[in-house]
Amino acid sequence: MTEGSLSRLPRENIPLPDGSVLRRRSLVPDDAFIDAVAADVEHLGEWLRWAQHPPTREETAGFRAEQDADWDAGRSFVYVLTPPDRSDQVIGGGAMFPNGADGVLEIGYWVCSPATGRGLATRAAAALTEEGLGLPGVKAMEIHCDGANVRSAEIPPRIGYRLLRVEPDEPQTAAEAGQSMVWRRDGAGPHSVVQAP
């Protein structure tokens, strides 16, 4: 999407096949978010610029307020991933947001280290993709990830994305190589999806 906002908002709770749930960030207590990120800064901070240090209560409340305003205005949508039947524990997250291309939403995703290796990031990315493509005016979804982030780069082709290009990008964390892989999935036509492990 470019300027403006969507005429219809995505679901606030998106259940995944394993029972875990992507929940609108404001539906999960700040303490749960703070605890998850603070306990995993070394892992998350490798690839996420907002996770370079344990979040403070003030930062977390401020970001949540901004994210709420953007959600309500139909601009961008931030989720956290919670285990089955637990809205007070964060094991990852994701987001959908415009990236400047007309009719395109970009998604991002992350998983805390204790929850890696179970296919959660793949299932979360697939769910966000389907949710985004179901919104009015959205023609395609994109995933951008640094070429050095091998585990993240394995996800887009599993869920029907194709590699559009690799382009220079300013590194945001110490682990990034500065080469962004741009993946796209169009809304039309069938897509073969490889199931997460």
Side-chain angles (χ1 to χ4, degrees):
M1 309 303 294
T2 52
E3 302 281 328
S5 59
L6 297 175
S7 61
R8 183 169 64 80
L9 303 180
R11 291 178 291 167
E12 293 188 349
N13 294 289
I14 305 174
L16 303 187
D18 69 333
S20 56
V21 182
L22 283 164
R23 300 179 193 273
R24 179 176 170 166
R25 168 62 191 91
S26 61
L27 300 180
V28 175
D30 284 355
D31 284 347
F33 179 82
I34 291 169
D35 290 348
V37 176
D40 212 21
V41 164
E42 186 175 343
H43 167 73
L44 297 175
E46 272 195 290
W47 307 110
L48 303 172
R49 68 172 177 252
W50 55 263
Q52 299 298 300
H53 61 82
T56 67
R57 290 187 183 282
E58 294 75 19
E59 288 171 333
T60 301
F63 287 141
R64 177 178 34 77
E66 291 173 14
Q67 292 161 357
D68 265 355
D70 284 341
W71 186 298
D72 291 338
R75 290 188 292 263
S76 62
F77 313 97
V78 176
Y79 292 87
V80 291
L81 182 61
T82 63
D85 304 319
R86 291 289 304 270
S87 62
D88 62 343
Q89 182 182 352
V90 173
I91 56 174
M96 297 187 290
F97 48 92
N99 69 1
D102 188 36
V104 177
L105 284 179
E106 184 177 335
I107 64 170
Y109 42 85
W110 56 277
V111 175
C112 294
S113 57
T116 58
R118 305 193 327 230
L120 287 169
T122 300
R123 288 191 287 274
L128 289 172
T129 298
E130 296 305 325
E131 191 73 18
L133 289 174
L135 296 172
V138 177
K139 299 181 292 190
M141 303 294 287
E142 286 188 356
I143 294 172
H144 296 205
C145 71
D146 190 86
N149 193 345
V150 176
R151 291 188 78 173
S152 183
E154 291 173 345
I155 292 173
R158 286 182 187 154
I159 58 174
Y161 283 74
R162 71 186 191 284
L163 183 62
L164 279 185
R165 63 186 179 276
V166 178
E167 60 190 14
D169 192 21
E170 188 70 28
Q172 300 294 316
T173 70
E176 290 186 344
Q179 291 291 318
S180 181
M181 303 175 78
V182 179
W183 302 83
R184 178 173 285 189
R185 179 167 155 187
D186 297 317
H191 299 278
S192 60
V193 177
V194 177
Q195 295 298 316

Coordinates of all heavy atoms in Angstrom, one line a residue, residues 91-156:
I91 N 6.0 -15.7 22.6 CA 7.0 -16.6 22.1 C 7.5 -16.1 20.7 O 8.4 -16.7 20.1 CB 6.5 -18.0 22.0 CG1 5.3 -18.2 21.2 CG2 6.4 -18.6 23.4 CD1 4.8 -19.6 20.9
G92 N 6.9 -15.0 20.2 CA 7.4 -14.4 19.0 C 6.4 -13.3 18.5 O 5.6 -12.8 19.4
G93 N 6.5 -13.0 17.3 CA 5.6 -11.9 16.8 C 5.7 -11.7 15.3 O 6.5 -12.5 14.6
G94 N 5.0 -10.8 14.8 CA 5.0 -10.5 13.4 C 4.2 -9.2 13.1 O 3.6 -8.6 14.0
A95 N 4.3 -8.7 11.9 CA 3.6 -7.5 11.6 C 3.3 -7.4 10.1 O 4.0 -8.1 9.3 CB 4.5 -6.3 12.0
M96 N 2.4 -6.6 9.7 CA 2.1 -6.3 8.3 C 2.1 -4.8 8.2 O 1.5 -4.1 9.0 CB 0.7 -6.8 7.9 CG 0.5 -8.3 8.0 SD -1.1 -8.8 7.3 CE -2.2 -8.2 8.5
F97 N 2.7 -4.3 7.2 CA 2.9 -2.8 7.0 C 3.1 -2.4 5.6 O 3.7 -3.2 4.8 CB 4.0 -2.3 7.9 CG 5.3 -3.0 7.8 CD1 6.3 -2.7 6.9 CD2 5.5 -4.2 8.6 CE1 7.4 -3.4 6.8 CE2 6.7 -4.9 8.5 CZ 7.7 -4.5 7.6
P98 N 2.7 -1.2 5.2 CA 3.0 -0.8 3.8 C 4.5 -0.6 3.6 O 5.2 -0.1 4.5 CB 2.2 0.5 3.7 CG 2.1 1.0 5.0 CD 2.0 -0.2 5.9
N99 N 5.0 -0.8 2.4 CA 6.4 -0.6 2.1 C 6.6 0.4 1.0 O 7.7 0.5 0.4 CB 7.1 -1.9 1.8 CG 6.7 -2.5 0.5 OD1 5.9 -2.0 -0.2 ND2 7.3 -3.7 0.2
G100 N 5.5 1.1 0.6 CA 5.7 2.1 -0.4 C 5.2 1.7 -1.8 O 5.0 2.6 -2.7
A101 N 5.1 0.4 -2.1 CA 4.6 0.0 -3.4 C 3.1 -0.1 -3.3 O 2.5 -0.6 -2.4 CB 5.2 -1.4 -3.7
D102 N 2.5 0.3 -4.4 CA 1.0 0.3 -4.5 C 0.4 -1.1 -4.4 O 0.8 -2.0 -5.1 CB 0.6 1.0 -5.8 CG -0.9 1.3 -5.8 OD1 -1.5 1.6 -4.8 OD2 -1.5 1.1 -6.9
G103 N -0.5 -1.3 -3.4 CA -1.2 -2.5 -3.3 C -0.3 -3.6 -2.7 O -0.7 -4.8 -2.7
V104 N 0.8 -3.3 -2.0 CA 1.7 -4.3 -1.4 C 1.8 -4.0 0.1 O 2.0 -2.9 0.5 CB 3.1 -4.2 -2.1 CG1 4.0 -5.2 -1.4 CG2 3.0 -4.5 -3.6
L105 N 1.7 -5.1 0.8 CA 2.0 -5.1 2.2 C 3.2 -6.0 2.5 O 3.4 -7.0 1.8 CB 0.9 -5.7 3.1 CG -0.4 -4.8 3.3 CD1 -1.4 -5.5 4.1 CD2 0.0 -3.5 4.0
E106 N 4.1 -5.5 3.3 CA 5.3 -6.3 3.7 C 5.0 -6.9 5.1 O 4.3 -6.4 5.9 CB 6.5 -5.4 3.8 CG 7.8 -6.1 4.1 CD 9.0 -5.1 4.1 OE1 9.0 -4.1 3.5 OE2 10.0 -5.5 4.8
I107 N 5.6 -8.1 5.3 CA 5.4 -8.7 6.6 C 6.8 -9.0 7.2 O 7.8 -9.1 6.5 CB 4.7 -10.1 6.6 CG1 5.4 -11.1 5.8 CG2 3.2 -9.8 6.1 CD1 4.8 -12.5 5.9
G108 N 6.9 -9.0 8.5 CA 8.0 -9.4 9.3 C 7.6 -10.4 10.3 O 6.4 -10.5 10.6
Y109 N 8.6 -11.1 10.8 CA 8.3 -12.2 11.8 C 9.5 -12.4 12.7 O 10.6 -12.2 12.2 CB 7.8 -13.5 11.1 CG 8.6 -13.9 9.9 CD1 9.8 -14.6 10.1 CD2 8.3 -13.5 8.6 CE1 10.6 -14.9 9.0 CE2 9.0 -13.8 7.5 CZ 10.2 -14.5 7.7 OH 11.0 -14.8 6.6
W110 N 9.3 -12.9 13.9 CA 10.4 -13.3 14.8 C 9.9 -14.3 15.8 O 8.7 -14.4 16.1 CB 10.9 -12.0 15.5 CG 9.9 -11.2 16.3 CD1 9.1 -10.3 15.8 CD2 9.6 -11.3 17.7 NE1 8.3 -9.8 16.8 CE2 8.6 -10.4 18.0 CE3 10.2 -12.1 18.7 CZ2 8.1 -10.2 19.2 CZ3 9.6 -11.9 20.0 CH2 8.6 -11.0 20.2
V111 N 10.8 -15.1 16.3 CA 10.5 -16.1 17.3 C 11.6 -16.1 18.3 O 12.8 -16.1 18.0 CB 10.4 -17.5 16.6 CG1 10.1 -18.6 17.7 CG2 9.2 -17.5 15.6
C112 N 11.2 -16.2 19.6 CA 12.2 -16.3 20.7 C 12.9 -17.6 20.6 O 12.4 -18.6 20.1 CB 11.4 -16.2 22.0 SG 10.7 -14.6 22.3
S113 N 14.2 -17.6 21.0 CA 15.0 -18.8 20.8 C 14.5 -20.1 21.4 O 14.7 -21.1 20.8 CB 16.5 -18.5 21.4 OG 16.4 -18.1 22.7
P114 N 13.8 -20.1 22.6 CA 13.3 -21.4 23.1 C 12.2 -22.0 22.2 O 12.0 -23.2 22.3 CB 12.7 -21.0 24.5 CG 13.4 -19.7 24.9 CD 13.6 -19.0 23.6
A115 N 11.6 -21.2 21.3 CA 10.6 -21.7 20.4 C 11.0 -21.9 19.0 O 10.2 -22.3 18.1 CB 9.4 -20.7 20.4
T116 N 12.3 -21.7 18.7 CA 12.8 -21.9 17.3 C 12.8 -23.4 17.0 O 12.9 -24.3 17.9 CB 14.2 -21.3 17.1 OG1 15.1 -21.9 18.0 CG2 14.1 -19.8 17.3
G117 N 12.9 -23.7 15.7 CA 13.0 -25.1 15.2 C 11.7 -25.9 15.2 O 11.8 -27.1 14.9
R118 N 10.6 -25.2 15.5 CA 9.3 -25.9 15.5 C 8.4 -25.5 14.4 O 7.2 -25.9 14.4 CB 8.6 -25.7 16.9 CG 9.5 -26.1 18.0 CD 8.8 -26.2 19.4 NE 7.7 -25.3 19.6 CZ 7.6 -24.5 20.7 NH1 8.5 -24.6 21.6 NH2 6.6 -23.7 20.8
G119 N 8.9 -24.7 13.5 CA 8.0 -24.2 12.4 C 7.1 -23.1 12.7 O 6.3 -22.7 11.9
L120 N 7.3 -22.4 13.9 CA 6.4 -21.4 14.3 C 6.5 -20.1 13.4 O 5.5 -19.5 13.0 CB 6.6 -21.0 15.7 CG 6.1 -22.0 16.8 CD1 6.7 -21.6 18.1 CD2 4.6 -22.0 16.8
A121 N 7.7 -19.8 13.0 CA 7.9 -18.6 12.1 C 7.3 -18.8 10.8 O 6.7 -17.9 10.2 CB 9.4 -18.3 12.0
T122 N 7.4 -20.0 10.3 CA 6.8 -20.4 9.0 C 5.3 -20.3 9.0 O 4.7 -19.7 8.1 CB 7.3 -21.8 8.5 OG1 8.7 -21.8 8.4 CG2 6.7 -22.1 7.2
R123 N 4.7 -20.9 10.1 CA 3.3 -20.8 10.2 C 2.8 -19.4 10.4 O 1.7 -19.0 9.9 CB 2.8 -21.8 11.3 CG 2.9 -23.2 10.9 CD 2.3 -24.1 12.0 NE 3.0 -24.3 13.2 CZ 4.0 -25.1 13.4 NH1 4.3 -26.0 12.5 NH2 4.6 -25.2 14.6
A124 N 3.5 -18.6 11.2 CA 3.1 -17.2 11.4 C 3.2 -16.4 10.1 O 2.3 -15.7 9.8 CB 4.0 -16.6 12.5
A125 N 4.3 -16.6 9.4 CA 4.4 -15.9 8.1 C 3.3 -16.3 7.1 O 2.8 -15.4 6.4 CB 5.8 -16.1 7.5
A126 N 3.0 -17.6 7.1 CA 1.9 -18.0 6.2 C 0.6 -17.4 6.6 O -0.2 -17.0 5.7 CB 1.9 -19.5 6.2
A127 N 0.3 -17.4 7.9 CA -1.0 -16.8 8.3 C -1.1 -15.3 8.1 O -2.1 -14.8 7.6 CB -1.1 -17.1 9.8
L128 N 0.0 -14.6 8.3 CA 0.0 -13.2 8.0 C -0.2 -12.9 6.5 O -0.8 -12.0 6.1 CB 1.3 -12.5 8.5 CG 1.4 -12.4 10.0 CD1 2.8 -11.9 10.4 CD2 0.4 -11.4 10.6
T129 N 0.5 -13.8 5.7 CA 0.3 -13.7 4.2 C -1.1 -13.8 3.8 O -1.6 -13.0 3.0 CB 1.2 -14.7 3.5 OG1 2.6 -14.5 3.9 CG2 1.1 -14.6 2.0
E130 N -1.8 -14.9 4.3 CA -3.2 -15.1 3.9 C -4.1 -14.0 4.4 O -5.0 -13.5 3.7 CB -3.6 -16.5 4.4 CG -2.9 -17.6 3.8 CD -2.9 -17.7 2.3 OE1 -4.0 -17.3 1.7 OE2 -1.9 -18.1 1.7
E131 N -3.8 -13.5 5.6 CA -4.6 -12.4 6.2 C -4.4 -11.2 5.3 O -5.4 -10.5 5.0 CB -4.2 -12.2 7.6 CG -5.1 -11.3 8.4 CD -6.5 -11.9 8.8 OE1 -6.6 -13.1 8.7 OE2 -7.4 -11.1 9.1
G132 N -3.2 -10.9 5.0 CA -3.0 -9.6 4.2 C -3.6 -9.7 2.8 O -4.2 -8.7 2.4
L133 N -3.4 -10.9 2.2 CA -4.0 -11.0 0.8 C -5.5 -10.9 0.8 O -6.1 -10.7 -0.2 CB -3.5 -12.3 0.2 CG -2.0 -12.3 -0.2 CD1 -1.6 -13.7 -0.7 CD2 -1.7 -11.2 -1.3
G134 N -6.1 -11.2 2.0 CA -7.6 -11.1 2.1 C -8.1 -9.7 2.3 O -9.3 -9.5 2.3
L135 N -7.2 -8.7 2.5 CA -7.6 -7.3 2.7 C -7.9 -6.6 1.4 O -7.2 -6.8 0.4 CB -6.6 -6.6 3.6 CG -6.3 -7.1 5.0 CD1 -5.1 -6.5 5.6 CD2 -7.6 -7.0 5.8
P136 N -8.9 -5.7 1.4 CA -9.2 -5.0 0.2 C -8.0 -4.1 -0.3 O -7.4 -3.5 0.5 CB -10.4 -4.1 0.6 CG -10.4 -4.0 2.1 CD -9.7 -5.3 2.5
G137 N -7.8 -4.2 -1.6 CA -6.8 -3.4 -2.2 C -5.4 -3.9 -2.1 O -4.4 -3.4 -2.7
V138 N -5.2 -5.1 -1.4 CA -3.9 -5.7 -1.3 C -3.7 -6.7 -2.5 O -4.4 -7.7 -2.5 CB -3.7 -6.4 0.1 CG1 -2.3 -7.1 0.1 CG2 -3.8 -5.4 1.2
K139 N -2.7 -6.4 -3.3 CA -2.5 -7.3 -4.5 C -1.3 -8.3 -4.3 O -1.3 -9.3 -5.0 CB -2.2 -6.4 -5.7 CG -3.3 -5.5 -6.1 CD -3.0 -4.7 -7.3 CE -1.9 -3.7 -7.0 NZ -1.7 -2.7 -8.1
A140 N -0.4 -7.9 -3.4 CA 0.7 -8.8 -3.2 C 1.3 -8.5 -1.8 O 1.1 -7.5 -1.2 CB 1.8 -8.5 -4.2
M141 N 2.1 -9.5 -1.3 CA 2.8 -9.4 0.0 C 4.3 -9.6 -0.3 O 4.7 -10.3 -1.2 CB 2.3 -10.6 0.9 CG 0.8 -10.6 1.2 SD 0.2 -9.2 2.1 CE 0.8 -9.5 3.7
E142 N 5.1 -8.9 0.5 CA 6.5 -9.0 0.4 C 7.1 -9.4 1.7 O 6.6 -9.0 2.8 CB 7.1 -7.7 -0.2 CG 6.9 -7.5 -1.6 CD 7.6 -6.4 -2.2 OE1 8.3 -5.6 -1.5 OE2 7.5 -6.2 -3.4
I143 N 8.3 -10.0 1.7 CA 9.1 -10.3 2.8 C 10.5 -9.8 2.4 O 11.0 -10.2 1.4 CB 9.2 -11.8 3.2 CG1 7.8 -12.3 3.7 CG2 10.3 -12.1 4.2 CD1 7.7 -13.8 3.8
H144 N 11.1 -9.0 3.2 CA 12.5 -8.5 3.0 C 13.3 -9.0 4.1 O 13.0 -8.9 5.3 CB 12.6 -7.0 3.0 CG 11.8 -6.3 1.9 ND1 12.1 -5.0 1.5 CD2 10.7 -6.7 1.2 CE1 11.3 -4.7 0.5 NE2 10.4 -5.7 0.3
C145 N 14.4 -9.7 3.8 CA 15.3 -10.2 4.9 C 16.8 -10.1 4.4 O 17.0 -10.3 3.2 CB 15.0 -11.6 5.4 SG 15.3 -12.9 4.2
D146 N 17.6 -9.9 5.3 CA 19.0 -9.8 5.0 C 19.6 -11.1 4.6 O 19.2 -12.2 5.1 CB 19.8 -9.3 6.2 CG 21.2 -8.9 5.9 OD1 21.5 -7.8 5.5 OD2 22.1 -9.8 6.0
G147 N 20.4 -11.1 3.6 CA 20.9 -12.3 3.0 C 21.7 -13.2 4.0 O 21.8 -14.4 3.9
A148 N 22.2 -12.6 5.1 CA 23.0 -13.3 6.1 C 22.1 -14.0 7.0 O 22.5 -15.0 7.7 CB 23.9 -12.4 6.9
N149 N 20.8 -13.7 7.0 CA 19.8 -14.3 7.9 C 19.3 -15.6 7.2 O 18.1 -15.6 6.7 CB 18.7 -13.3 8.3 CG 17.9 -13.8 9.5 OD1 17.9 -15.0 9.8 ND2 17.1 -12.9 10.0
V150 N 20.1 -16.6 7.2 CA 19.8 -17.8 6.5 C 18.5 -18.5 6.9 O 17.6 -18.9 6.1 CB 20.9 -18.8 6.6 CG1 20.6 -20.1 5.9 CG2 22.2 -18.2 6.0
R151 N 18.2 -18.5 8.2 CA 17.0 -19.2 8.7 C 15.8 -18.5 8.3 O 14.8 -19.1 7.9 CB 17.0 -19.4 10.2 CG 18.1 -20.4 10.7 CD 18.0 -20.6 12.1 NE 16.9 -21.6 12.4 CZ 16.7 -22.1 13.5 NH1 17.4 -21.8 14.6 NH2 15.7 -23.0 13.7
S152 N 15.8 -17.1 8.3 CA 14.6 -16.4 7.9 C 14.4 -16.5 6.4 O 13.3 -16.6 5.9 CB 14.8 -14.9 8.3 OG 13.7 -14.1 7.9
A153 N 15.5 -16.5 5.6 CA 15.4 -16.6 4.2 C 14.9 -17.9 3.7 O 14.4 -18.1 2.5 CB 16.8 -16.3 3.5
E154 N 14.9 -19.0 4.5 CA 14.3 -20.3 4.2 C 12.8 -20.3 4.2 O 12.2 -21.1 3.6 CB 14.8 -21.3 5.1 CG 16.3 -21.6 5.0 CD 16.8 -22.6 6.1 OE1 16.1 -22.8 7.1 OE2 17.9 -23.1 5.9
I155 N 12.2 -19.3 4.8 CA 10.7 -19.3 5.0 C 10.0 -18.9 3.8 O 9.0 -19.5 3.4 CB 10.4 -18.4 6.3 CG1 10.9 -19.2 7.5 CG2 8.9 -18.2 6.3 CD1 10.7 -18.4 8.8
P156 N 10.3 -17.7 3.1 CA 9.5 -17.3 2.0 C 9.2 -18.3 0.9 O 8.0 -18.5 0.5 CB 10.2 -16.1 1.4 CG 11.0 -15.6 2.6 CD 11.4 -16.8 3.4

